[in-house]
Every structure is written in structure tokens, then in C-alpha cells.
Amino acid sequence: MLVLRRLLLSMMLLSVPVSETAAHSLRAPRDTSGISIPSLSHGQMEVVARHREEIHALASWVAVKDAEIRKLLAFSRTQFARCLWGLMPFSIQDEASPMNECSHAYLAADRAMLVRMRDLPFWQDRSRSLFDVVDKEMVEEGASLVLCIFSATDFNTASPVGPDWHDFIAHRPSLIVILLAGGTVMAVLALGTWTVFRRPRLAAA
């Protein structure tokens, strides 16, 4: 009966319609003592995400020489971890995702690093070349025109942003992943428990 009730509950949750506007609300930085990070548009997120590894590789070199890059790089990595390392589906593409705001945060930091590295005297050829590539793609794709509710949100390195956990029920792809992950964990624990209690019986036999 317990298994049946859980199955019925899962089906009810998955039947909840997904709203395009969702229950998101803008959250201003609680602490503004750190570095202010300008917002970026929804379209710009996808372009920056494609070049994130290149930006971080370059930033890891520049961070040794520039304190602001160090702080931005640390903030971006913290935000990425808070967004479950990008493992949730549609966290960047879907405004309704509970991970969308924190994705905006780490990608805004990545873009801020790229802009600053362009103007620093370290590895200028590489930083300016990477900036030009990203900027060209944004122009060609009209990325600045694709907006969402978080496109007007500025961030601050002193105020990390977490996911909107209460929105998981409304976002079907995220809910499915959570249910599957929870089911997998329960199955592994059940198998482990069964194995532990099964061994004495096998030994006695």
C-alpha cells in the first residue's frame, strides 16, 4: 500500500501544469559589500555557457594576478555548485526552471570576468580574442534581445543565489529528475539492507 500511495502521489505531482511564468520572484542581493555583477539577458546566457570552460581556463591564470578575477571566479564556482553543477535539465534554457536564477548568477560572473580580462594587461591577445568570439556570437544570434524575468537582476559576490526549491513541483523536468534520483537512492538502500540481512541466512544454510 505504501508503494501504491507513493506512485499515486508521483503521478499527481507530474500532472501539475507547468506555468511559463512560474512562481519566480526577483531577489535583490542581501549583501552588497562584494563586487557588483551586471545582469545578462536570457539569450546571452546560452552563448556564455558555450564558452564557459575557455573563460575559466583563462581566468584561472589571470586570477593569480588580479583580486577581482579571483573573487568572480570563486563566486562563479560557488554558484555552479549551488545549481547542482548544471545537472538539472533546462536550467539555462527554461525561465521556469528553479535553477534558472542561480544559472543567471554564475554565467553573469563568467561574462564579467571576460569583460575585465579584456582590459587587463595579462594575456591580452587571448582574452581579447575570446571576448571578440563571444561578442560576435551574441550579435549574430541577437542574444541581447532574448529576455526573461531574471535578465534585469544584478548580482553581488557577497550574496550567493540558491535555487528556488519551492518551484520544483511546478517544473516537471526537474521534478522527474528529483523523483528518479530519490527512487534510485531508495532502491540502493533497500538492496544494501536486503544484502546485509540475507548474508546470515546464507551462512547458516
Side-chain angles (χ1 to χ4, degrees):
M1 290 297 294
L2 180 59
V3 174
L4 180 59
R5 284 202 300 268
R6 286 176 177 169
L7 180 60
L8 290 173
L9 177 60
S10 299
M11 293 175 65
M12 290 172 62
L13 291 174
L14 291 175
S15 67
V16 175
V18 179
S19 168
E20 292 185 0
T21 56
H24 290 311
S25 59
L26 294 176
R27 295 180 286 180
R30 296 184 303 275
D31 185 350
T32 57
S33 62
I35 299 171
S36 180
I37 303 173
S39 61
L40 78 171
S41 73
H42 195 70
Q44 289 171 335
M45 286 176 67
E46 296 196 40
V47 178
V48 173
R50 288 202 295 267
H51 296 278
R52 188 167 189 269
E53 290 187 6
E54 299 167 77
I55 294 171
H56 276 237
L58 183 58
S60 64
W61 300 344
V62 180
V64 178
K65 299 178 177 292
D66 186 76
E68 184 168 326
I69 293 295
R70 281 199 300 275
K71 291 180 180 180
L72 289 170
L73 183 59
F75 177 82
S76 176
R77 289 171 174 170
T78 299
Q79 284 299 141
F80 190 58
R82 281 173 172 254
C83 288
L84 302 183
W85 302 277
L87 297 175
M88 299 302 292
F90 308 111
S91 57
I92 293 176
Q93 299 87 350
D94 189 357
E95 177 185 350
S97 168
M99 297 290 179
N100 193 246
E101 184 180 13
C102 64
S103 296
H104 266 271
Y106 74 76
L107 290 170
D110 292 343
R111 190 191 64 170
M113 284 192 289
L114 184 59
V115 171
R116 179 163 178 78
M117 289 188 295
R118 177 197 58 179
D119 299 326
L120 290 174
F122 315 115
W123 297 282
Q124 280 192 338
D125 290 344
R126 182 159 184 172
S127 59
R128 288 177 179 175
S129 175
L130 180 56
F131 179 90
D132 289 343
V133 169
V134 174
D135 187 57
K136 181 181 178 182
E137 289 184 19
M138 287 183 177
V139 172
E140 291 176 346
E141 298 178 20
S144 61
L145 303 177
V146 184
L147 305 175
C148 78
I149 188 173
F150 299 121
S151 297
T153 305
D154 287 343
F155 303 97
N156 194 286
T157 55
S159 293
V161 179
D164 285 324
W165 296 109
H166 61 278
D167 285 344
F168 269 90
I169 292 179
H171 191 248
R172 191 169 300 155
S174 297
L175 180 60
I176 291 173
V177 171
I178 291 296
L179 291 174
L180 289 175
T184 301
V185 170
M186 290 177 64
V188 171
L189 290 175
L191 180 61
T193 302
W194 180 86
T195 302
V196 169
F197 285 98
R198 181 68 174 170
R199 281 176 181 172
R201 296 181 183 178
L202 292 175

